[in-house]
Short mmCIF file of all heavy atoms in Angstrom, two decimals:
data_model
loop_
_atom_site.label_atom_id
_atom_site.label_comp_id
_atom_site.label_asym_id
_atom_site.label_seq_id
_atom_site.Cartn_x
_atom_site.Cartn_y
_atom_site.Cartn_z
N ALA Q 152 -7.38 -158.48 -58.85
CA ALA Q 152 -6.66 -157.17 -58.62
C ALA Q 152 -5.84 -157.36 -57.22
O ALA Q 152 -4.64 -156.93 -57.19
CB ALA Q 152 -7.48 -156.05 -58.60
N ASP Q 153 -6.55 -157.86 -56.31
CA ASP Q 153 -5.83 -158.02 -54.90
C ASP Q 153 -4.75 -158.95 -54.90
O ASP Q 153 -3.62 -158.63 -54.37
CB ASP Q 153 -6.91 -158.39 -53.89
CG ASP Q 153 -7.95 -157.37 -53.64
OD1 ASP Q 153 -7.80 -156.08 -54.04
OD2 ASP Q 153 -8.94 -157.66 -53.00
N LYS Q 154 -4.82 -160.05 -55.55
CA LYS Q 154 -3.82 -161.15 -55.48
C LYS Q 154 -2.89 -161.29 -56.70
O LYS Q 154 -1.89 -162.05 -56.59
CB LYS Q 154 -4.69 -162.51 -55.18
CG LYS Q 154 -5.47 -162.53 -54.07
CD LYS Q 154 -6.11 -163.90 -53.88
CE LYS Q 154 -7.09 -163.90 -52.61
NZ LYS Q 154 -7.72 -165.20 -52.58
N GLY Q 155 -3.35 -160.69 -57.68
CA GLY Q 155 -2.63 -161.07 -59.07
C GLY Q 155 -3.29 -162.37 -59.64
O GLY Q 155 -3.92 -163.10 -58.90
N TRP Q 156 -3.30 -162.53 -60.90
CA TRP Q 156 -4.05 -163.57 -61.52
C TRP Q 156 -3.62 -164.98 -61.07
O TRP Q 156 -4.60 -165.91 -60.90
CB TRP Q 156 -4.14 -163.48 -63.01
CG TRP Q 156 -2.93 -163.91 -63.79
CD1 TRP Q 156 -1.84 -163.20 -64.13
CD2 TRP Q 156 -2.61 -165.23 -64.14
NE1 TRP Q 156 -0.89 -163.91 -64.82
CE2 TRP Q 156 -1.37 -165.19 -64.84
CE3 TRP Q 156 -3.31 -166.49 -64.15
CZ2 TRP Q 156 -0.69 -166.40 -65.31
CZ3 TRP Q 156 -2.74 -167.54 -64.67
CH2 TRP Q 156 -1.52 -167.62 -65.25
N LYS Q 157 -2.36 -165.09 -60.83
CA LYS Q 157 -1.86 -166.47 -60.58
C LYS Q 157 -2.28 -166.94 -59.32
O LYS Q 157 -2.80 -167.97 -59.02
CB LYS Q 157 -0.27 -166.54 -60.71
CG LYS Q 157 0.24 -166.59 -62.13
CD LYS Q 157 1.62 -166.95 -62.13
CE LYS Q 157 2.23 -167.06 -63.55
NZ LYS Q 157 3.63 -167.41 -63.66
N GLN Q 158 -2.14 -166.08 -58.24
CA GLN Q 158 -2.56 -166.42 -56.88
C GLN Q 158 -4.03 -166.58 -56.74
O GLN Q 158 -4.49 -167.46 -56.12
CB GLN Q 158 -2.10 -165.41 -55.88
CG GLN Q 158 -2.17 -165.77 -54.44
CD GLN Q 158 -1.41 -167.12 -54.01
OE1 GLN Q 158 -0.23 -167.12 -54.28
NE2 GLN Q 158 -2.16 -167.99 -53.51
N ALA Q 159 -4.69 -165.66 -57.48
CA ALA Q 159 -6.22 -165.76 -57.46
C ALA Q 159 -6.69 -167.11 -58.03
O ALA Q 159 -7.63 -167.79 -57.47
CB ALA Q 159 -6.77 -164.58 -58.16
N CYS Q 160 -6.06 -167.43 -59.08
CA CYS Q 160 -6.51 -168.77 -59.80
C CYS Q 160 -5.97 -169.92 -58.98
O CYS Q 160 -6.79 -171.03 -58.96
CB CYS Q 160 -5.91 -168.81 -61.15
SG CYS Q 160 -6.80 -167.66 -62.40
N GLU Q 161 -4.88 -169.76 -58.32
CA GLU Q 161 -4.27 -170.94 -57.48
C GLU Q 161 -5.30 -171.14 -56.31
O GLU Q 161 -5.56 -172.30 -55.95
CB GLU Q 161 -3.01 -170.71 -57.07
CG GLU Q 161 -2.30 -171.85 -56.42
CD GLU Q 161 -0.81 -171.65 -56.19
OE1 GLU Q 161 -0.18 -170.91 -56.99
OE2 GLU Q 161 -0.33 -172.11 -55.11
N ASP Q 162 -5.83 -170.01 -55.80
CA ASP Q 162 -6.72 -170.14 -54.67
C ASP Q 162 -8.09 -170.51 -54.93
O ASP Q 162 -8.89 -171.03 -54.17
CB ASP Q 162 -6.82 -168.72 -53.86
CG ASP Q 162 -5.52 -168.42 -53.24
OD1 ASP Q 162 -4.63 -169.26 -53.11
OD2 ASP Q 162 -5.40 -167.17 -52.95
N ASP Q 163 -8.54 -170.28 -56.26
CA ASP Q 163 -9.97 -170.62 -56.66
C ASP Q 163 -9.89 -171.32 -58.03
O ASP Q 163 -9.77 -170.79 -59.06
CB ASP Q 163 -10.70 -169.28 -56.95
CG ASP Q 163 -12.14 -169.61 -57.29
OD1 ASP Q 163 -12.57 -170.69 -57.46
OD2 ASP Q 163 -12.87 -168.43 -57.24
N PRO Q 164 -9.99 -172.80 -57.86
CA PRO Q 164 -10.05 -173.56 -59.20
C PRO Q 164 -11.18 -173.18 -60.13
O PRO Q 164 -11.10 -173.45 -61.37
CB PRO Q 164 -10.16 -174.99 -58.56
CG PRO Q 164 -10.80 -174.88 -57.19
CD PRO Q 164 -10.29 -173.59 -56.77
N HIS Q 165 -12.25 -172.63 -59.58
CA HIS Q 165 -13.33 -172.16 -60.46
C HIS Q 165 -12.90 -170.98 -61.31
O HIS Q 165 -13.31 -170.99 -62.48
CB HIS Q 165 -14.57 -171.86 -59.65
CG HIS Q 165 -15.12 -173.06 -58.96
ND1 HIS Q 165 -15.58 -174.13 -59.51
CD2 HIS Q 165 -15.28 -173.26 -57.62
CE1 HIS Q 165 -16.02 -175.01 -58.59
NE2 HIS Q 165 -15.77 -174.52 -57.48
N LEU Q 166 -12.12 -170.06 -60.76
CA LEU Q 166 -11.63 -168.94 -61.53
C LEU Q 166 -10.60 -169.55 -62.57
O LEU Q 166 -10.53 -169.00 -63.71
CB LEU Q 166 -11.00 -167.90 -60.56
CG LEU Q 166 -10.54 -166.69 -61.32
CD1 LEU Q 166 -11.43 -165.96 -62.12
CD2 LEU Q 166 -9.92 -165.79 -60.15
N LEU Q 167 -9.78 -170.48 -62.17
CA LEU Q 167 -8.85 -171.02 -63.10
C LEU Q 167 -9.48 -171.69 -64.30
O LEU Q 167 -8.99 -171.61 -65.37
CB LEU Q 167 -8.01 -172.04 -62.31
CG LEU Q 167 -6.95 -172.79 -63.13
CD1 LEU Q 167 -5.89 -171.85 -63.63
CD2 LEU Q 167 -6.24 -174.00 -62.27
N ASN Q 168 -10.72 -172.11 -64.15
CA ASN Q 168 -11.49 -172.77 -65.38
C ASN Q 168 -11.76 -171.54 -66.35
O ASN Q 168 -12.02 -171.85 -67.61
CB ASN Q 168 -12.79 -173.25 -64.84
CG ASN Q 168 -12.57 -174.63 -64.12
OD1 ASN Q 168 -11.54 -175.31 -64.46
ND2 ASN Q 168 -13.44 -175.03 -63.24
N GLY Q 169 -11.69 -170.37 -65.85
CA GLY Q 169 -11.77 -169.24 -66.82
C GLY Q 169 -10.70 -168.98 -67.68
O GLY Q 169 -10.69 -168.15 -68.64
N LEU Q 170 -9.46 -169.40 -67.38
CA LEU Q 170 -8.24 -169.11 -68.13
C LEU Q 170 -8.37 -169.73 -69.43
O LEU Q 170 -8.47 -171.05 -69.57
CB LEU Q 170 -7.05 -169.68 -67.33
CG LEU Q 170 -5.62 -169.24 -67.92
CD1 LEU Q 170 -5.35 -167.82 -67.93
CD2 LEU Q 170 -4.56 -170.02 -67.16
N ASN Q 171 -8.27 -169.04 -70.40
CA ASN Q 171 -8.32 -169.42 -71.85
C ASN Q 171 -7.07 -169.28 -72.57
O ASN Q 171 -6.73 -170.08 -73.51
CB ASN Q 171 -9.47 -168.70 -72.61
CG ASN Q 171 -10.88 -169.37 -72.38
OD1 ASN Q 171 -11.68 -169.38 -73.27
ND2 ASN Q 171 -11.19 -169.64 -71.22
N VAL Q 172 -6.30 -168.35 -72.23
CA VAL Q 172 -5.09 -167.91 -72.99
C VAL Q 172 -4.07 -167.48 -71.97
O VAL Q 172 -4.35 -166.62 -71.10
CB VAL Q 172 -5.32 -166.84 -74.07
CG1 VAL Q 172 -4.04 -166.35 -74.68
CG2 VAL Q 172 -6.24 -167.34 -75.20
N HIS Q 173 -2.77 -167.89 -72.10
CA HIS Q 173 -1.63 -167.34 -71.31
C HIS Q 173 -0.43 -167.42 -72.06
O HIS Q 173 -0.01 -168.42 -72.58
CB HIS Q 173 -1.55 -168.03 -70.01
CG HIS Q 173 -0.31 -167.66 -69.34
ND1 HIS Q 173 -0.17 -166.34 -68.79
CD2 HIS Q 173 0.78 -168.36 -68.92
CE1 HIS Q 173 0.98 -166.29 -68.18
NE2 HIS Q 173 1.59 -167.46 -68.16
N ALA Q 174 0.18 -166.18 -72.21
CA ALA Q 174 1.63 -166.17 -72.83
C ALA Q 174 1.72 -166.88 -74.14
O ALA Q 174 2.67 -167.68 -74.35
CB ALA Q 174 2.67 -166.63 -71.80
N GLY Q 175 0.88 -166.74 -74.99
CA GLY Q 175 0.95 -167.40 -76.36
C GLY Q 175 0.51 -168.80 -76.39
O GLY Q 175 0.63 -169.44 -77.42
N GLN Q 176 -0.27 -169.37 -75.38
CA GLN Q 176 -0.62 -170.61 -75.41
C GLN Q 176 -2.13 -170.74 -74.93
O GLN Q 176 -2.51 -170.02 -74.15
CB GLN Q 176 0.21 -171.45 -74.39
CG GLN Q 176 1.63 -171.63 -74.80
CD GLN Q 176 2.50 -172.45 -73.81
OE1 GLN Q 176 2.60 -172.11 -72.53
NE2 GLN Q 176 2.97 -173.63 -74.12
N LEU Q 177 -2.85 -171.67 -75.64
CA LEU Q 177 -4.23 -171.87 -75.30
C LEU Q 177 -4.32 -172.77 -74.09
O LEU Q 177 -3.57 -173.83 -73.99
CB LEU Q 177 -4.91 -172.41 -76.52
CG LEU Q 177 -6.44 -172.38 -76.67
CD1 LEU Q 177 -6.82 -170.96 -76.66
CD2 LEU Q 177 -6.88 -173.18 -77.84
N THR Q 178 -5.20 -172.43 -73.29
CA THR Q 178 -5.33 -173.28 -71.96
C THR Q 178 -6.70 -173.75 -71.77
O THR Q 178 -7.09 -174.16 -70.62
CB THR Q 178 -4.96 -172.32 -70.84
OG1 THR Q 178 -5.82 -171.14 -70.71
CG2 THR Q 178 -3.44 -171.93 -70.91
N TYR Q 179 -7.62 -173.82 -72.74
CA TYR Q 179 -8.94 -174.43 -72.61
C TYR Q 179 -9.26 -175.39 -73.66
O TYR Q 179 -9.30 -175.06 -74.82
CB TYR Q 179 -10.07 -173.09 -72.72
CG TYR Q 179 -11.35 -173.56 -72.02
CD1 TYR Q 179 -11.52 -173.40 -70.67
CD2 TYR Q 179 -12.36 -174.06 -72.79
CE1 TYR Q 179 -12.71 -173.87 -70.10
CE2 TYR Q 179 -13.52 -174.36 -72.23
CZ TYR Q 179 -13.73 -174.40 -70.93
OH TYR Q 179 -14.88 -174.64 -70.25
N TYR Q 180 -9.55 -176.58 -73.22
CA TYR Q 180 -9.53 -177.74 -74.07
C TYR Q 180 -10.59 -177.59 -75.12
O TYR Q 180 -10.34 -177.93 -76.33
CB TYR Q 180 -9.81 -179.06 -73.23
CG TYR Q 180 -9.90 -180.28 -74.14
CD1 TYR Q 180 -8.89 -180.89 -74.71
CD2 TYR Q 180 -11.19 -180.80 -74.31
CE1 TYR Q 180 -9.02 -182.04 -75.54
CE2 TYR Q 180 -11.41 -181.85 -75.14
CZ TYR Q 180 -10.29 -182.51 -75.78
OH TYR Q 180 -10.47 -183.57 -76.52
N ALA Q 181 -11.76 -177.27 -74.81
CA ALA Q 181 -12.89 -177.24 -75.81
C ALA Q 181 -12.64 -176.24 -76.94
O ALA Q 181 -13.03 -176.45 -78.01
CB ALA Q 181 -14.21 -176.73 -75.04
#
């Protein structure tokens, strides 16, 4: 909420691992 999802995920690679879907594309390999 404070940073927006892009900045929050850029700052925290562990949070980025939670990204599964974005703008019509799948982002999680498994």
Side-chain angles (χ1 to χ4, degrees):
D153 290 348
K154 301 177 180 179
W156 78 267
K157 284 191 176 182
Q158 189 62 53
C160 287
E161 190 170 326
D162 291 348
D163 184 356
H165 297 298
L166 181 58
L167 181 60
N168 287 334
L170 186 67
N171 278 218
V172 172
H173 172 62
Q176 293 180 297
L177 198 62
T178 58
Y179 199 81
Y180 175 76

